[in-house]
Amino acid sequence: MRSEERGAGSGAGSSAKSTSSQQEGGLEGAQIERPQWFWLTPSMLTALLLAAHFLRYGNTGLSLACVLAGLLPWTRWAWTRSVGLVLSVGAALVWLHVGVSQVARRVLLGQPYGLLLVIMLSVFLLALLSAWLFVRPSAGHWAGRAQETATVSASSFALSALLLGMVQAKVPRPMLLLERFWPSGGWFEVLLLSVYAAWLAAKLLGAEARQGTAATRLRLWTFFSAVFFGQLLLGLLGFERFLMSGELHLPVPALIVAGPLFRGTRFFMLGLFGATVLLVGPAWCSHLCYLGAFDGLAARARRPTRTPAWSWGLRLGLMVLVFGLAFALGRLGVSALWASVLALLFGAGGVLLMMLWSRRSGRMMHCTLYCPIGVLAVVLGKLSPFRIRLSAACSRCGACTPSCRYGALEPAHLQRGRVGLSCTLCGDCVERCGHGALSYSFLGRSGAGVRVAFVALVVALHAAFLGVARL
């Protein structure tokens, strides 16, 4: 009897350890217990039926994307379950739309529709069953932190697919790179970038738990910049398909505003920048700017120095000078060639500043002192409801100060109990506070859900920019 009790106790302990292991498995890439094959078979059937539907209309890219999305949940990574969930919900919506339209068409034509109704209802219910199996209460991989990871991955995947899918479906010119080499390949790229967004969101959330957000964010941000400038290099080598318009535009962030001021036309990038700032505020500077990552790499070697007292005066002066000069040159009829030379010199000055001053000071001097877009991002970013909040739990210990390369958490800011204006919502400081005084907030409310929402949104924009923000 005692032996049985000990066995039962041992089994309970083993079960508890297994549950704990599954909860920790939500962190990116950690192994979790693989579900039984019959839990995933409905999602695979749903994916294959959806692939056959699109293949019937000759959309090979979207068909292949469905097959790949159906295979992903069979892997060992917890975040891939979110891909299966989104695919199942999307399939249900597709079958609902197709079923209603086709049955209505047959009714209007006076044709028999009973068998069609049964078929469409069956595939619709199969998709709903597949979605339910991913969120069923007994699904242990949705527990604890794994639930946060699943939520942020699913949200990032869905938002990325929505943004890029709208671009693929609505914009006449092929905006996605694969579409230029493979007709309908843009849809496959939509899936690849959406899966990348789901993985990246899980990666960032897991890095926060391990206190590695800063290094992880910088690596992924650098990858984004490398892809951007890699396409520029290929364009310069004569491969014009890698340039969005077939024309060369200088990769200087200041030209996002200065270019339209000079030309009086082509406001696409300015509109994209404005929409991004409204959504995620100054996070454009710490997650989406194609040049800022190199400033971060230059500054990370040393502990950051104190922000000069005159920095904001210089930043505002440079912004007025650059934008005012661009407008004046355009009105005076200066040729585009000379304007491009001036823009190239300005961009070269920023790179020189990174190499010489950012490396010595440990601060991102190009981003916080030189770039006029950075000024607009942090000022107009106040229109966004997202903030980094410093609560009353702050002990003024200064442990967070070295983590901020933007000079937004210096002793003066801590004394005032408020994060500085130059904050870019990078989040590097949040994990460094041992008192829990720093957190993301939305309209004044903080919590884990706010962090999840912010990561999902900024990662979706990151993936969308990776697909469309080419020269």
Side-chain angles (χ1 to χ4, degrees):
M1 183 73 176
R2 290 178 182 175
S3 174
E4 291 178 359
E5 290 176 356
R6 284 196 300 268
S10 175
S14 174
S15 176
K17 291 178 180 178
S18 175
T19 303
S20 175
S21 174
Q22 285 191 3
Q23 291 180 355
E24 293 173 359
L27 302 179
E28 53 85 28
Q31 289 196 17
I32 65 171
E33 184 180 351
R34 182 170 298 184
Q36 297 294 327
W37 63 269
F38 50 82
W39 293 123
L40 294 177
T41 297
S43 70
M44 191 70 244
L45 289 175
T46 297
L48 291 175
L49 288 170
L50 199 60
H53 170 72
F54 291 124
L55 188 61
R56 179 185 176 190
Y57 293 96
N59 197 328
T60 57
L62 192 51
S63 179
L64 186 59
C66 291
V67 174
L68 179 59
L71 290 171
L72 278 171
W74 293 80
T75 63
R76 64 185 178 87
W77 295 292
W79 60 266
T80 58
R81 309 299 187 269
S82 62
V83 177
L85 173 61
V86 175
L87 173 70
S88 301
V89 173
L93 295 175
V94 169
W95 296 134
L96 181 63
H97 170 73
V98 173
V100 170
S101 60
Q102 290 297 321
V103 169
R105 176 176 172 274
R106 293 202 176 190
V107 170
L108 289 175
L109 295 175
Q111 297 176 345
Y113 61 87
L115 181 59
L116 175 63
L117 180 61
V118 171
I119 293 173
M120 298 310 302
L121 185 60
S122 298
V123 293
F124 173 71
L125 292 176
L126 176 64
L128 289 183
L129 172 64
S130 173
W132 176 78
L133 289 175
F134 282 112
V135 296
R136 66 190 189 282
S138 59
H141 52 267
W142 297 122
R145 177 168 282 274
Q147 184 175 6
E148 292 182 10
T149 305
T151 301
V152 75
S153 293
S155 301
S156 300
F157 180 89
L159 285 172
S160 301
L162 178 63
L163 292 172
L164 292 165
M166 290 176 60
V167 171
Q168 172 69 5
K170 300 298 183 181
V171 180
R173 174 186 292 170
M175 298 287 282
L176 299 179
L177 192 59
L178 277 183
E179 189 71 24
R180 301 186 176 201
F181 296 92
W182 168 25
S184 80
W187 287 110
F188 189 67
E189 184 175 351
V190 169
L191 174 74
L192 293 179
L193 288 171
S194 300
V195 169
Y196 167 72
W199 170 82
L200 177 54
K203 188 83 172 175
L204 285 175
L205 208 62
E208 181 185 3
R210 299 191 307 270
Q211 293 193 340
T213 301
T216 301
R217 180 185 62 84
L218 186 56
R219 282 196 299 268
L220 297 169
W221 189 19
T222 303
F223 167 73
F224 172 86
S225 299
V227 171
F228 183 89
F229 283 98
Q231 291 181 167
L232 168 62
L233 179 61
L234 290 171
L236 291 174
L237 292 175
F239 300 97
E240 294 182 358
R241 289 185 182 184
F242 288 92
L243 303 178
M244 181 176 290
S245 63
E247 301 175 358
L248 178 63
H249 300 276
L250 294 176
V252 180
L255 294 184
I256 293 174
V257 175
L261 286 175
F262 173 78
R263 295 186 302 262
T265 58
R266 300 182 186 177
F267 295 93
F268 173 76
M269 281 302 298
L270 182 58
L272 190 62
F273 169 77
T276 303
V277 168
L278 286 175
L279 289 172
V280 293
W284 188 89
C285 292
S286 57
H287 293 81
L288 304 170
C289 175
Y290 42 82
L291 197 60
F294 301 115
D295 201 19
L297 289 173
R300 67 175 180 172
R302 296 192 179 186
R303 185 185 179 93
T305 58
R306 191 74 59 87
T307 305
W310 40 263
S311 63
W312 267 102
L314 179 60
R315 294 185 75 180
L316 292 171
L318 278 173
M319 183 185 70
V320 172
L321 176 63
V322 171
F323 294 157
L325 182 61
F327 181 79
L329 292 176
R331 305 294 79 75
L332 293 173
V334 175
S335 69
L337 175 62
W338 282 108
S340 298
V341 169
L342 290 175
L344 187 61
L345 290 174
F346 182 81
V351 173
L352 190 63
L353 191 67
M354 295 179 199
M355 296 172 61
L356 298 181
W357 202 355
S358 295
R359 288 174 61 87
R360 293 179 57 187
S361 66
R363 289 186 61 240
M364 298 171 64
M365 303 305 294
H366 171 272
C367 297
T368 62
L369 196 67
Y370 189 74
C371 179
I373 290 295
V375 179
L376 287 180
V378 297
V379 173
L380 297 180
K382 297 305 177 186
L383 297 173
S384 168
F386 285 106
R387 299 282 190 278
I388 291 289
R389 178 174 174 265
L390 183 62
S391 73
C394 177
S395 65
R396 314 314 192 253
C397 67
C400 58
T401 300
S403 67
C404 183
R405 304 288 175 175
Y406 296 92
L409 284 170
E410 296 187 345
H413 302 126
L414 300 182
Q415 290 298 323
R416 289 196 296 267
R418 190 168 61 248
V419 175
L421 180 60
S422 57
C423 173
T424 64
L425 304 182
C426 69
D428 295 351
C429 60
V430 174
E431 64 190 23
R432 297 301 175 189
C433 181
H435 308 282
L438 284 163
S439 62
Y440 280 88
S441 70
F442 182 86
L443 297 176
R445 301 185 65 178
S446 302
V450 175
R451 172 63 171 160
V452 167
F454 177 80
V455 169
L457 188 54
V458 79
V459 163
L461 290 172
H462 171 101
F465 275 36
L466 195 62
V468 303
R470 300 194 311 277
L471 295 165

